[in-house]
């Protein structure tokens, strides 16, 4: 751990600095106080002793005798007259002239006690000097000056200072230990809070700060724990909402893309990437650039718009809407994509169906009207000719009936009103029977029908409806066969059922048309269909019948030419 970043070290250092500064300041003050205290005591002692000596001098005692006494008071004594000249001095003090400077002596002559601390040249040492005036009835006649060495006082003061320093050192050592313990105690919950906060930043909200104190640190710890719980609940709620939104976006059939205000991609669901052919690991700058002109328009107008784009033969409906904040500032845009290719194709098919049905109905009705009017008007007298007209009328009537029956069957199947009579049937026998029934028609067209069977299980199905499926598929194959071709029928066992295929020798179906051939009224070649007949309902009926039985239908072009139509049936379809 870096000491400069450790709160324990900082608290310990600050406490030590505070303790040292406090003790140093206190020591200086105490040292000064004790120094002043000792000097005051010594000054008072010297003043009292000097006054006693002056009293004795004024009572008539010889000054020299009194000065000899001064050696017992640990001071040097000097008696001076009003001119400052020395009249007597202690035995240990032998000098002549002025005993003190003129300014201080003038103060003594005014009757004041003068105290001086400092170096005395006469002694070549620091002295405490006390000068007391000798007063009589006539005024100040002189002065008694006492000199006491400061060395003894200073030694006492240094002893006190040494004791203060030793006490301060001990206090620093104790403060160091106590401050370290205190800093550890104070910082421990802070370190725990740091660990919990780091865990919260990483998404771990299980950590707790265990502090039982009721002070500010305890309150902060409780707040951290509350914050952890609140963040956990909020993040869980956001995660659930995000997961719900993700599931919604994934389950949608539409593509959803969001951009920021600068048209940078924020999010795109897989459906949108699939529509625009953008890989999941691709940033999509190239794939989404087709939307940039629309995004620019929305950014400029700040209004929703809807456009249709043609991409690789598909029609994509794009609905764009701006995303505004409370201040009506644009912060993003959302695009909803929908592949409407199938819808547009079906819409086109429905429009064509009106024309196709009109044509298919008008042609037989025209025949019926024309030949019937000819017979009623007696324009045909030859019996053979009448029979020919009647046969034409019958064929067209049957054609109309077949068309109506197909429409009714498809309507009944799609409305769910088709009642199946299921029983166990042999597809092999059913297919052979249908082929035998259609053989005369195929021979007339010069088409050969071949069959291939593997060992087939029995299936639960409505025999009449499956026969209708086979007739529609074979009839469809004969319509589009180029002539002198072959229709190949194959039935084989598959997992859980059977698969039947009907392959023709026709020109094939464009790949982009294959998904729509099972739709109602759909015809690949409109001109060719009018020539060959048919309403475009046969394959739609096939698809619905097979799906009602629980099977599937599909188609694909064959490598050798022509198209293969397939359907599957389960072995045992539930009722």
């Amino acid at each position: 751990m870096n000491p400069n970043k450790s709160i324990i070290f900082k608290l310990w250092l600050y406490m030590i600095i505070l303790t040292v500064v406090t003790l140093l300041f206190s020591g200086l003050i105490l040292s000064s106080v004790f120094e002043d205290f000792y000097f005051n005591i010594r000054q008072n002692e010297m003043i009292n002793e000097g006054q006693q000596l002056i009293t004795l001098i004024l009572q008539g005692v010889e000054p020299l005798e009194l000065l000899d006494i001064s050696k017992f008071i640990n001071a040097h004594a000097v008696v001076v007259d009003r001119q400052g000249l020395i009249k007597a001095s202690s035995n240990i003090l032998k000098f002549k002239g002025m005993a003190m400077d003129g300014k201080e002596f003038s103060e003594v002559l005014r009757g004041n006690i003068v105290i001086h601390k400092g170096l005395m040249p006469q002694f070549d040492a620091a002295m405490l000097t006390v000068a007391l005036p000798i007063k009589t009835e006539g005024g100040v006649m002189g002065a008694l000056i006492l000199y006491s060495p400061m060395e003894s006082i200073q030694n006492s003061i240094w002893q006190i200072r040494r004791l203060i320093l030793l006490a301060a050192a001990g206090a620093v050592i104790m403060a160091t230990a106590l401050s370290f313990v205190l800093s550890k105690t104070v910082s421990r919950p802070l370190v725990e809070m740091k660990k919990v906060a780091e865990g919260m930043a990483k998404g771990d909200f299980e950590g707790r700060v265990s502090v039982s104190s009721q002070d500010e640190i305890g309150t902060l710890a409780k707040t951290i724990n509350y914050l952890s719980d609140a963040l956990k609940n909020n993040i869980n709620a956001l995660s659930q909402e995000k997961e719900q939104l993700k599931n919604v976006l994934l389950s949608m059939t539409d593509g959803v893309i969001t951009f920021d205000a600068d048209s940078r991609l924020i999010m795109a669901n897989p459906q949108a990437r699939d529509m625009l052919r953008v890989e999941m690991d691709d940033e999509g700058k190239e794939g989404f650039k087709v939307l940039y002109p629309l995004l620019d328009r929305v950014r400029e107008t700040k209004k929703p718009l809807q456009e249709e784009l043609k991409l690789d033969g598909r029609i994509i409906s794009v609905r764009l809407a701006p995303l505004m904040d409370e201040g009506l500032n644009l912060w993003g845009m959302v695009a909803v994509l929908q592949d409407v290719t199938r819808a547009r194709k079906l819409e086109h098919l429905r429009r064509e169906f009106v024309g196709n049905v009109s044509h298919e109905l008008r042609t037989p009705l025209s025949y019926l009207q024309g030949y019937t009017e000819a017979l009623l008007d007696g324009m045909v007298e030859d019996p053979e000719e009448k029979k020919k007209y009647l046969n034409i009328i019958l064929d067209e009537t049957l054609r109309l009936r077949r068309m109506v029956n197909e429409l009714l069957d498809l309507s009944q199947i799609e409305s769910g009103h088709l009642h199946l009579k299921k029983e166990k049937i042999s597809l092999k026998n059913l297919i052979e029977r249908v082929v035998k029934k259609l053989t005369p028609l195929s021979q007339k067209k010069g088409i050969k029908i071949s069959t291939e069977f593997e060992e087939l299980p029995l299936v639960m199905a409505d025999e009449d409806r499956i026969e209708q499926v086979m007739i529609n598929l074979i009839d469809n194959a004969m319509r589009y066969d180029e002539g002198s071709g072959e229709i190949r029928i194959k039935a084989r066992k598959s997992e859980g059922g059977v698969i039947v295929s009907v392959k023709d020798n026709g020109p094939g179906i464009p790949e982009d048309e294959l998904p729509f051939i099972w739709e109602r009224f759909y015809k690949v070649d409109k001109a060719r269909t009018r020539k060959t007949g048919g309403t475009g309902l046969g394959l739609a009926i096939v698809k619905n019948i097979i799906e009602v039985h629980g099977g599937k239908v599909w188609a694909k072009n064959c490598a050798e030419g022509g198209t293969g139509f397939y359907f599957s049936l389960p072995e045992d379809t539930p009722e």
Side-chain angles (χ1 to χ4, degrees):
M1 181 182 293
N2 189 347
N4 294 328
K5 297 182 179 180
S6 171
I7 190 171
I8 299 176
F9 175 78
K10 289 180 179 179
L11 285 174
W12 174 81
L13 181 62
Y14 295 155
M15 290 180 186
I16 293 301
I17 293 174
L18 179 62
T19 302
V20 171
V21 171
T22 302
L23 290 176
L24 180 62
F25 185 71
S26 302
L28 291 175
I29 292 177
L30 287 174
S31 176
S32 177
V33 168
F34 277 113
E35 183 177 358
D36 293 338
F37 175 75
Y38 272 98
F39 273 110
N40 289 332
I41 291 176
R42 184 59 182 152
Q43 289 171 9
N44 293 331
E45 288 178 351
M46 291 175 69
I47 289 172
N48 291 332
E49 292 168 352
Q51 289 176 344
Q52 292 175 6
L53 290 175
I54 290 174
T55 301
L56 293 174
I57 290 174
L58 293 176
Q59 290 177 356
V61 179
E62 287 293 329
L64 292 175
E65 296 178 2
L66 297 175
L67 294 176
D68 289 337
I69 301 173
S70 65
K71 61 184 178 181
F72 297 105
I73 62 174
N74 192 24
H76 308 301
V78 176
V79 177
V80 297
D81 58 14
R82 285 186 60 82
Q83 286 72 35
L85 299 176
I86 300 173
K87 295 298 182 180
S89 62
S90 61
N91 292 333
I92 60 174
L93 184 62
K94 304 294 184 180
F95 61 87
K96 298 180 179 180
M98 299 293 291
M100 55 190 311
D101 61 35
K103 184 177 180 181
E104 292 179 343
F105 188 67
S106 298
E107 187 70 22
V108 174
L109 292 180
R110 286 197 290 268
N112 298 321
I113 298 174
V114 176
I115 300 172
H116 175 77
K117 291 185 291 185
L119 179 67
M120 295 297 293
Q122 297 88 340
F123 299 99
D124 193 22
M127 291 289 187
L128 174 61
T129 303
V130 177
L132 297 94
I134 300 175
K135 298 179 182 179
T136 63
E137 294 179 356
V140 178
M141 57 172 288
L144 175 63
I145 302 174
L146 299 177
Y147 298 96
S148 178
M150 294 176 60
E151 182 179 1
S152 60
I153 299 174
Q154 289 176 338
N155 288 337
S156 299
I157 293 172
W158 278 114
Q159 289 294 331
I160 293 173
R161 288 176 177 172
R162 189 176 295 109
L163 291 175
I164 292 174
L165 288 175
L166 290 175
V172 168
I173 294 173
M174 292 181 62
T176 301
L178 291 175
S179 62
F180 182 77
V181 173
L182 179 61
S183 62
K184 288 280 288 185
T185 303
V186 172
S187 63
R188 185 180 296 110
L190 298 178
V191 173
E192 290 185 21
M193 293 179 199
K194 172 180 173 290
K195 293 180 180 179
V196 171
E198 289 176 347
M200 290 164 58
K202 297 177 182 178
D204 180 14
F205 300 99
E206 300 301 326
R208 288 292 180 275
V209 183
S210 56
V211 178
S212 58
S213 61
Q214 300 300 320
D215 55 9
E216 290 82 356
I217 293 180
T219 302
L220 180 59
K222 293 178 181 178
T223 304
I224 291 289
N225 292 335
Y226 174 78
L227 176 62
S228 178
D229 292 335
L231 283 176
K232 180 180 179 181
N233 294 334
N234 290 337
I235 289 178
N236 288 338
L238 288 175
S239 298
Q240 290 178 358
E241 291 181 4
K242 181 180 179 181
E243 191 65 23
Q244 290 174 358
L245 179 59
K246 179 181 178 182
N247 292 333
V248 169
L249 292 176
L250 289 176
S251 62
M252 291 176 63
T253 57
D254 296 343
V256 178
I257 312 172
T258 54
F259 300 89
D260 63 13
D262 297 322
S263 300
R264 289 190 293 265
L265 178 68
I266 298 176
M267 183 277 302
N269 67 348
Q271 292 84 341
R273 292 180 177 272
D274 182 63
M275 291 182 191
L276 298 177
R277 302 292 191 264
V278 178
E279 297 296 332
M280 291 299 295
D281 57 350
D282 186 7
E283 289 295 328
K285 293 182 179 179
E286 293 297 323
F288 295 111
K289 67 180 180 180
V290 68
L291 301 176
Y292 289 170
L294 303 181
L295 294 173
D296 293 337
R297 288 168 55 186
V298 172
R299 189 185 303 107
E300 293 173 2
T301 62
K302 295 184 180 180
K303 294 181 179 179
L305 65 83
Q306 182 171 356
E307 294 283 346
E308 287 189 356
L309 303 176
K310 292 185 178 180
L311 303 174
D312 302 328
R314 295 170 297 121
I315 302 175
I316 306 298
S317 174
V318 181
R319 285 171 288 173
L320 270 169
L323 301 175
M324 317 289 285
D325 59 17
E326 294 181 355
L328 298 181
N329 297 314
L330 181 72
W331 67 267
M333 292 164 283
V334 60
V336 179
L337 311 182
Q338 186 177 18
D339 190 341
V340 296
T341 307
R342 185 182 185 87
R344 296 292 180 267
K345 193 76 172 179
L346 292 177
E347 183 179 351
H348 178 67
L349 292 177
R350 291 187 185 96
R351 286 197 300 267
E352 286 192 343
F353 169 69
V354 176
N356 291 341
V357 171
S358 298
H359 174 79
E360 295 294 337
L361 292 175
R362 185 170 58 248
T363 300
L365 289 175
S366 298
Y367 282 126
L368 290 174
Q369 181 182 357
Y371 287 114
T372 303
E373 289 177 351
L375 292 173
L376 291 175
D377 293 340
M379 295 177 61
V380 181
E381 295 181 356
D382 184 13
E384 291 295 329
E385 191 72 15
K386 286 183 180 181
K387 185 177 180 180
K388 177 182 176 182
Y389 279 21
L390 291 173
N391 284 330
I392 293 174
I393 291 173
L394 178 61
D395 289 341
E396 295 301 325
T397 303
L398 293 175
R399 181 180 175 187
L400 283 174
R401 182 179 179 181
R402 186 170 60 252
M403 186 185 304
V404 171
N405 286 339
E406 288 180 347
L407 289 170
L408 290 175
D409 284 346
L410 187 59
S411 175
Q412 193 177 35
I413 294 171
E414 291 184 344
S415 63
H417 295 153
L418 181 65
H419 299 289
L420 300 179
K421 298 178 181 179
K422 290 185 179 180
E423 57 185 358
K424 289 187 177 181
I425 63 172
S426 169
L427 277 179
K428 179 176 181 298
N429 294 337
L430 186 147
I431 293 172
E432 288 178 342
R433 185 172 65 251
V434 172
V435 170
K436 185 177 181 181
K437 185 184 296 186
L438 296 177
T439 295
L441 180 59
S442 65
Q443 290 177 345
K444 183 179 180 181
K445 293 186 175 183
I447 299 173
K448 179 183 176 182
I449 301 177
S450 64
T451 58
E452 180 182 347
F453 301 103
E454 296 180 1
E455 185 177 351
L456 301 175
L458 298 178
V459 296
M460 288 292 294
D462 187 319
E463 188 170 7
D464 292 337
R465 291 300 178 181
I466 300 302
E467 182 176 339
Q468 183 180 2
V469 167
M470 291 303 304
I471 291 175
N472 283 353
L473 290 176
I474 297 173
D475 180 68
N476 183 75
M478 287 193 293
R479 287 178 187 274
Y480 293 98
D481 196 280
E482 296 292 344
S484 301
E486 181 181 7
I487 297 175
R488 301 177 300 280
I489 302 173
K490 182 177 179 180
R492 60 182 177 84
K493 182 179 180 181
S494 68
E495 184 177 353
V498 295
I499 294 178
V500 179
S501 64
V502 178
K503 298 180 180 179
D504 60 38
N505 196 29
I509 300 174
E511 291 296 330
D512 59 338
E513 302 277 355
L514 279 174
F516 304 101
I517 62 173
W518 305 101
E519 299 295 334
R520 292 180 300 171
F521 321 122
Y522 184 80
K523 298 180 181 180
V524 177
D525 187 343
K526 311 306 183 292
R528 184 179 178 86
T529 301
R530 287 193 175 96
K531 178 180 177 181
T532 58
T535 61
L537 298 173
L539 293 181
I541 293 174
V542 169
K543 177 176 180 292
N544 282 274
I545 291 176
I546 295 301
E547 289 181 349
V548 169
H549 280 80
K552 296 180 180 180
V553 296
W554 66 96
K556 61 181 180 180
N557 290 315
C558 303
E560 64 275 13
T563 305
F565 296 85
Y566 302 81
F567 70 86
S568 65
L569 286 175
E571 288 187 47
D572 188 3
T573 305
E575 291 287 345

